Structures are given as structure tokens and as C-alpha cells.
CSV table of all heavy atoms in Angstrom, one decimal:
chain,number,residue,atom,x,y,z
A,4,SER,N,3.1,13.6,47.2
A,4,SER,CA,2.7,12.4,48.0
A,4,SER,C,3.6,11.2,47.7
A,4,SER,O,4.1,11.1,46.6
A,4,SER,CB,1.2,12.0,47.8
A,4,SER,OG,1.1,11.4,46.6
A,5,PRO,N,3.9,10.3,48.7
A,5,PRO,CA,4.7,9.2,48.4
A,5,PRO,C,4.2,8.3,47.3
A,5,PRO,O,5.0,7.7,46.5
A,5,PRO,CB,4.7,8.4,49.7
A,5,PRO,CG,4.4,9.5,50.7
A,5,PRO,CD,3.5,10.4,50.1
A,6,LEU,N,2.8,8.2,47.2
A,6,LEU,CA,2.3,7.3,46.1
A,6,LEU,C,2.6,7.9,44.7
A,6,LEU,O,3.0,7.1,43.9
A,6,LEU,CB,0.7,7.3,46.3
A,6,LEU,CG,-0.1,6.6,45.2
A,6,LEU,CD1,0.4,5.1,45.1
A,6,LEU,CD2,-1.5,6.6,45.5
A,7,VAL,N,2.5,9.2,44.6
A,7,VAL,CA,2.8,9.8,43.2
A,7,VAL,C,4.3,9.7,42.9
A,7,VAL,O,4.6,9.2,41.8
A,7,VAL,CB,2.4,11.3,43.2
A,7,VAL,CG1,2.9,12.0,41.9
A,7,VAL,CG2,0.9,11.5,43.4
A,8,GLU,N,5.1,9.9,43.9
A,8,GLU,CA,6.6,9.8,43.7
A,8,GLU,C,7.1,8.4,43.3
A,8,GLU,O,7.9,8.1,42.5
A,8,GLU,CB,7.4,10.3,44.9
A,8,GLU,CG,7.2,11.8,45.1
A,8,GLU,CD,7.9,12.6,44.1
A,8,GLU,OE1,8.7,12.1,43.3
A,8,GLU,OE2,7.6,13.8,44.0
A,9,LEU,N,6.5,7.4,44.1
A,9,LEU,CA,6.9,6.0,43.9
A,9,LEU,C,6.3,5.5,42.5
A,9,LEU,O,7.0,4.8,41.8
A,9,LEU,CB,6.2,5.1,45.0
A,9,LEU,CG,6.9,5.3,46.3
A,9,LEU,CD1,6.0,4.6,47.4
A,9,LEU,CD2,8.3,4.7,46.3
A,10,THR,N,5.2,6.0,42.1
A,10,THR,CA,4.6,5.6,40.8
A,10,THR,C,5.4,6.2,39.7
A,10,THR,O,5.8,5.5,38.7
A,10,THR,CB,3.1,6.1,40.7
A,10,THR,OG1,2.4,5.5,41.7
A,10,THR,CG2,2.6,5.7,39.4
A,11,LEU,N,5.8,7.4,39.8
A,11,LEU,CA,6.7,8.0,38.8
A,11,LEU,C,8.0,7.3,38.8
A,11,LEU,O,8.6,7.2,37.6
A,11,LEU,CB,6.9,9.5,39.1
A,11,LEU,CG,5.6,10.5,39.0
A,11,LEU,CD1,6.0,11.9,39.4
A,11,LEU,CD2,5.2,10.5,37.5
A,12,ALA,N,8.5,6.9,39.9
A,12,ALA,CA,9.8,6.2,39.9
A,12,ALA,C,9.7,4.9,39.1
A,12,ALA,O,10.6,4.5,38.3
A,12,ALA,CB,10.3,6.0,41.3
A,13,ARG,N,8.6,4.2,39.3
A,13,ARG,CA,8.4,2.9,38.6
A,13,ARG,C,8.3,3.2,37.2
A,13,ARG,O,8.8,2.3,36.4
A,13,ARG,CB,7.2,2.2,39.2
A,13,ARG,CG,7.3,1.7,40.6
A,13,ARG,CD,8.3,0.5,40.7
A,13,ARG,NE,7.9,-0.5,39.8
A,13,ARG,CZ,8.7,-1.4,39.2
A,13,ARG,NH1,10.0,-1.3,39.4
A,13,ARG,NH2,8.3,-2.3,38.4
A,14,CYS,N,7.6,4.2,36.8
A,14,CYS,CA,7.4,4.5,35.3
A,14,CYS,C,8.7,4.8,34.7
A,14,CYS,O,9.0,4.4,33.5
A,14,CYS,CB,6.5,5.6,35.2
A,14,CYS,SG,4.7,5.3,35.6
A,15,ARG,N,9.6,5.6,35.4
A,15,ARG,CA,10.9,5.9,34.9
A,15,ARG,C,11.7,4.7,34.7
A,15,ARG,O,12.5,4.6,33.7
A,15,ARG,CB,11.6,7.0,35.7
A,15,ARG,CG,10.9,8.3,35.9
A,15,ARG,CD,11.8,9.3,36.6
A,15,ARG,NE,11.1,10.5,36.9
A,15,ARG,CZ,10.6,10.8,38.0
A,15,ARG,NH1,10.7,10.0,39.1
A,15,ARG,NH2,9.9,12.0,38.2
A,16,GLU,N,11.7,3.8,35.6
A,16,GLU,CA,12.4,2.5,35.6
A,16,GLU,C,12.0,1.8,34.3
A,16,GLU,O,12.9,1.2,33.5
A,16,GLU,CB,12.2,1.7,36.8
A,16,GLU,CG,12.9,2.2,38.0
A,16,GLU,CD,12.7,1.3,39.2
A,16,GLU,OE1,12.2,0.2,39.0
A,16,GLU,OE2,13.0,1.8,40.4
A,17,PHE,N,10.7,1.7,34.0
A,17,PHE,CA,10.2,1.0,32.9
A,17,PHE,C,10.7,1.6,31.6
A,17,PHE,O,11.1,1.0,30.7
A,17,PHE,CB,8.7,0.9,33.0
A,17,PHE,CG,8.1,0.2,31.8
A,17,PHE,CD1,8.0,-1.2,31.8
A,17,PHE,CD2,7.6,0.9,30.7
A,17,PHE,CE1,7.4,-1.8,30.7
A,17,PHE,CE2,7.0,0.3,29.6
A,17,PHE,CZ,6.9,-1.1,29.5
A,18,ILE,N,10.5,2.9,31.5
A,18,ILE,CA,10.9,3.6,30.2
A,18,ILE,C,12.3,3.5,29.9
A,18,ILE,O,12.8,3.5,28.8
A,18,ILE,CB,10.5,5.2,30.4
A,18,ILE,CG1,8.9,5.3,30.5
A,18,ILE,CG2,11.0,5.9,29.2
A,18,ILE,CD1,8.4,6.6,30.8
A,19,ARG,N,13.2,3.4,31.0
A,19,ARG,CA,14.7,3.3,30.7
A,19,ARG,C,15.1,1.9,30.3
A,19,ARG,O,16.3,1.7,30.1
A,19,ARG,CB,15.4,3.7,31.9
A,19,ARG,CG,15.3,5.3,32.2
A,19,ARG,CD,15.7,5.6,33.6
A,19,ARG,NE,15.5,7.0,33.9
A,19,ARG,CZ,15.6,7.6,35.1
A,19,ARG,NH1,15.9,6.8,36.1
A,19,ARG,NH2,15.4,8.9,35.3
A,20,GLU,N,14.1,1.0,30.2
A,20,GLU,CA,14.5,-0.4,29.8
A,20,GLU,C,13.9,-0.7,28.4
A,20,GLU,O,12.7,-1.0,28.2
A,20,GLU,CB,13.9,-1.5,30.8
A,20,GLU,CG,14.5,-1.4,32.2
A,20,GLU,CD,15.9,-1.9,32.2
A,20,GLU,OE1,16.3,-2.7,31.3
A,20,GLU,OE2,16.7,-1.6,33.1
A,21,PRO,N,14.8,-0.6,27.4
A,21,PRO,CA,14.3,-0.8,26.0
A,21,PRO,C,13.7,-2.3,25.9
A,21,PRO,O,12.8,-2.4,25.0
A,21,PRO,CB,15.6,-0.7,25.2
A,21,PRO,CG,16.5,0.2,26.0
A,21,PRO,CD,16.2,-0.2,27.4
A,22,ASP,N,14.3,-3.2,26.5
A,22,ASP,CA,13.8,-4.6,26.4
A,22,ASP,C,12.4,-4.7,26.9
A,22,ASP,O,11.6,-5.4,26.3
A,22,ASP,CB,14.7,-5.6,27.2
A,22,ASP,CG,16.1,-5.7,26.6
A,22,ASP,OD1,16.3,-5.3,25.5
A,22,ASP,OD2,17.0,-6.3,27.3
A,23,ALA,N,12.1,-4.1,28.0
A,23,ALA,CA,10.8,-4.1,28.5
A,23,ALA,C,9.7,-3.5,27.6
A,23,ALA,O,8.7,-4.0,27.4
A,23,ALA,CB,10.7,-3.4,29.9
A,24,ILE,N,10.1,-2.4,27.0
A,24,ILE,CA,9.2,-1.7,26.1
A,24,ILE,C,9.0,-2.6,24.9
A,24,ILE,O,7.8,-2.6,24.4
A,24,ILE,CB,9.9,-0.3,25.6
A,24,ILE,CG1,10.0,0.6,26.8
A,24,ILE,CG2,9.1,0.3,24.5
A,24,ILE,CD1,10.6,2.0,26.5
A,25,PHE,N,10.0,-3.3,24.4
A,25,PHE,CA,9.8,-4.2,23.2
A,25,PHE,C,8.8,-5.3,23.6
A,25,PHE,O,7.9,-5.5,22.8
A,25,PHE,CB,11.1,-4.8,22.8
A,25,PHE,CG,11.0,-5.8,21.7
A,25,PHE,CD1,10.8,-5.5,20.4
A,25,PHE,CD2,11.0,-7.2,22.2
A,25,PHE,CE1,10.7,-6.5,19.5
A,25,PHE,CE2,10.8,-8.2,21.2
A,25,PHE,CZ,10.7,-7.8,19.8
A,26,TRP,N,9.0,-6.0,24.7
A,26,TRP,CA,8.2,-7.1,25.1
A,26,TRP,C,6.7,-6.6,25.4
A,26,TRP,O,5.8,-7.4,25.2
A,26,TRP,CB,8.8,-7.9,26.2
A,26,TRP,CG,10.0,-8.6,25.8
A,26,TRP,CD1,11.3,-8.3,26.1
A,26,TRP,CD2,10.1,-9.8,24.9
A,26,TRP,NE1,12.1,-9.3,25.5
A,26,TRP,CE2,11.4,-10.1,24.8
A,26,TRP,CE3,9.1,-10.5,24.2
A,26,TRP,CZ2,11.9,-11.2,24.0
A,26,TRP,CZ3,9.5,-11.6,23.5
A,26,TRP,CH2,10.9,-11.9,23.4
A,27,VAL,N,6.5,-5.5,25.9
A,27,VAL,CA,5.2,-5.0,26.3
A,27,VAL,C,4.4,-4.5,25.1
A,27,VAL,O,3.3,-4.8,24.9
A,27,VAL,CB,5.3,-4.0,27.4
A,27,VAL,CG1,3.9,-3.3,27.6
A,27,VAL,CG2,5.8,-4.6,28.7
A,28,TYR,N,5.1,-3.6,24.3
A,28,TYR,CA,4.4,-3.0,23.2
A,28,TYR,C,4.6,-3.5,21.8
A,28,TYR,O,3.7,-3.5,21.0
A,28,TYR,CB,4.7,-1.4,23.3
A,28,TYR,CG,4.3,-0.8,24.5
A,28,TYR,CD1,5.1,-0.3,25.5
A,28,TYR,CD2,2.9,-0.5,24.7
A,28,TYR,CE1,4.7,0.4,26.6
A,28,TYR,CE2,2.4,0.1,25.8
A,28,TYR,CZ,3.3,0.6,26.7
A,28,TYR,OH,2.9,1.2,27.8
A,29,VAL,N,5.8,-3.9,21.5
A,29,VAL,CA,6.1,-4.3,20.1
A,29,VAL,C,5.8,-5.8,19.9
A,29,VAL,O,5.2,-6.2,18.9
A,29,VAL,CB,7.6,-4.0,19.8
A,29,VAL,CG1,7.9,-4.3,18.4
A,29,VAL,CG2,7.8,-2.5,20.0
A,30,PHE,N,6.3,-6.7,20.8
A,30,PHE,CA,6.1,-8.1,20.6
A,30,PHE,C,4.7,-8.5,20.4
A,30,PHE,O,4.4,-9.3,19.5
A,30,PHE,CB,6.7,-8.9,21.8
A,30,PHE,CG,6.6,-10.4,21.6
A,30,PHE,CD1,7.3,-11.1,20.8
A,30,PHE,CD2,5.6,-11.0,22.4
A,30,PHE,CE1,7.1,-12.5,20.6
A,30,PHE,CE2,5.5,-12.4,22.4
A,30,PHE,CZ,6.2,-13.1,21.4
A,31,PRO,N,3.7,-8.0,21.2
A,31,PRO,CA,2.3,-8.4,20.9
A,31,PRO,C,1.8,-8.0,19.5
A,31,PRO,O,1.0,-8.8,18.8
A,31,PRO,CB,1.5,-7.6,22.0
A,31,PRO,CG,2.5,-7.4,23.0
A,31,PRO,CD,3.8,-7.2,22.4
A,32,LEU,N,2.3,-7.0,18.9
A,32,LEU,CA,2.0,-6.6,17.6
A,32,LEU,C,2.5,-7.6,16.6
A,32,LEU,O,1.9,-8.0,15.5
A,32,LEU,CB,2.4,-5.2,17.2
A,32,LEU,CG,1.9,-4.1,18.1
A,32,LEU,CD1,2.4,-2.7,17.6
A,32,LEU,CD2,0.4,-4.1,18.2
A,33,PHE,N,3.8,-8.0,16.8
A,33,PHE,CA,4.4,-9.1,15.9
A,33,PHE,C,3.6,-10.4,16.0
A,33,PHE,O,3.4,-11.1,15.0
A,33,PHE,CB,5.8,-9.3,16.3
A,33,PHE,CG,6.8,-8.3,15.7
A,33,PHE,CD1,7.6,-7.5,16.6
A,33,PHE,CD2,6.9,-8.1,14.3
A,33,PHE,CE1,8.5,-6.6,16.1
A,33,PHE,CE2,7.8,-7.2,13.8
A,33,PHE,CZ,8.6,-6.4,14.7
A,34,LEU,N,3.1,-10.7,17.2
A,34,LEU,CA,2.4,-11.9,17.4
A,34,LEU,C,1.0,-11.8,16.7
A,34,LEU,O,0.6,-12.8,16.0
A,34,LEU,CB,2.1,-12.1,18.9
A,34,LEU,CG,1.7,-13.5,19.4
A,34,LEU,CD1,2.6,-14.6,19.0
A,34,LEU,CD2,1.4,-13.5,20.9
A,35,VAL,N,0.3,-10.7,16.8
A,35,VAL,CA,-0.9,-10.5,16.0
A,35,VAL,C,-0.7,-10.6,14.5
A,35,VAL,O,-1.4,-11.2,13.8
A,35,VAL,CB,-1.5,-9.1,16.4
A,35,VAL,CG1,-2.7,-8.8,15.4
A,35,VAL,CG2,-2.0,-9.1,17.9
A,36,LEU,N,0.4,-9.9,14.1
A,36,LEU,CA,0.7,-9.9,12.6
A,36,LEU,C,1.0,-11.4,12.1
A,36,LEU,O,0.5,-11.8,11.1
A,36,LEU,CB,2.0,-9.1,12.3
A,36,LEU,CG,2.4,-8.9,10.9
A,36,LEU,CD1,1.3,-8.2,10.1
A,36,LEU,CD2,3.6,-8.1,10.8
A,37,ALA,N,1.8,-12.1,12.8
A,37,ALA,CA,2.2,-13.5,12.4
A,37,ALA,C,1.0,-14.4,12.4
A,37,ALA,O,0.7,-15.1,11.5
A,37,ALA,CB,3.3,-14.0,13.3
A,38,LEU,N,0.3,-14.4,13.5
A,38,LEU,CA,-0.9,-15.3,13.6
A,38,LEU,C,-2.0,-14.9,12.7
A,38,LEU,O,-2.7,-15.7,12.1
A,38,LEU,CB,-1.4,-15.4,15.1
A,38,LEU,CG,-0.4,-16.0,16.1
A,38,LEU,CD1,-1.0,-16.0,17.4
A,38,LEU,CD2,-0.2,-17.5,15.7
A,39,GLY,N,-2.2,-13.5,12.5
A,39,GLY,CA,-3.3,-13.1,11.7
A,39,GLY,C,-3.0,-13.4,10.2
A,39,GLY,O,-3.9,-13.8,9.5
A,40,ILE,N,-1.7,-13.3,9.8
A,40,ILE,CA,-1.4,-13.7,8.4
A,40,ILE,C,-1.5,-15.2,8.2
A,40,ILE,O,-2.1,-15.7,7.2
A,40,ILE,CB,0.0,-13.2,8.0
A,40,ILE,CG1,0.0,-11.7,7.9
A,40,ILE,CG2,0.5,-13.8,6.7
A,40,ILE,CD1,1.4,-11.1,7.7
A,41,ALA,N,-1.1,-16.0,9.2
A,41,ALA,CA,-1.1,-17.4,9.2
A,41,ALA,C,-2.6,-18.0,9.0
A,41,ALA,O,-2.8,-19.0,8.4
A,41,ALA,CB,-0.5,-18.0,10.4
A,42,PHE,N,-3.5,-17.3,9.7
A,42,PHE,CA,-4.9,-17.8,9.7
A,42,PHE,C,-5.9,-17.0,8.9
A,42,PHE,O,-7.1,-17.2,9.0
A,42,PHE,CB,-5.4,-18.0,11.2
A,42,PHE,CG,-4.6,-19.1,11.9
A,42,PHE,CD1,-3.6,-18.7,12.7
A,42,PHE,CD2,-4.9,-20.4,11.8
A,42,PHE,CE1,-2.9,-19.7,13.5
A,42,PHE,CE2,-4.2,-21.3,12.5
A,42,PHE,CZ,-3.2,-21.0,13.3
């Protein structure tokens, strides 16, 4: 179905962007670590 194909295409675009993966998954963890240690 077009919905499945378009969704898969969007997922592939995201996975192929290392910067996007960093800001979505890694940066929040650094933020938790920094603020958690600070307080």
C-alpha cells in the first residue's frame, strides 16, 4: 500500500542521516547525564 511504502521511505531517509540519529537518540541522553550530575 502507498502508506506502507511512504512510511518505509521516510524511515530510510532518517536512518541514513547520522546527524538526525545523534540529535534524536544520543543528545537527550547527554542532556540527562549533564543535568542529572549537576543537580
Side-chain angles (χ1 to χ4, degrees):
S4 71
L6 176 59
V7 174
E8 291 293 345
L9 290 167
T10 302
L11 291 174
R13 291 292 304 151
C14 291
R15 294 188 190 103
E16 288 180 14
F17 178 83
I18 293 172
R19 291 167 183 169
E20 291 290 338
D22 292 347
I24 294 175
F25 172 81
W26 289 108
V27 170
Y28 292 111
V29 181
F30 178 73
L32 302 184
F33 280 119
L34 197 59
V35 171
L36 181 64
L38 294 175
I40 292 175
F42 292 99

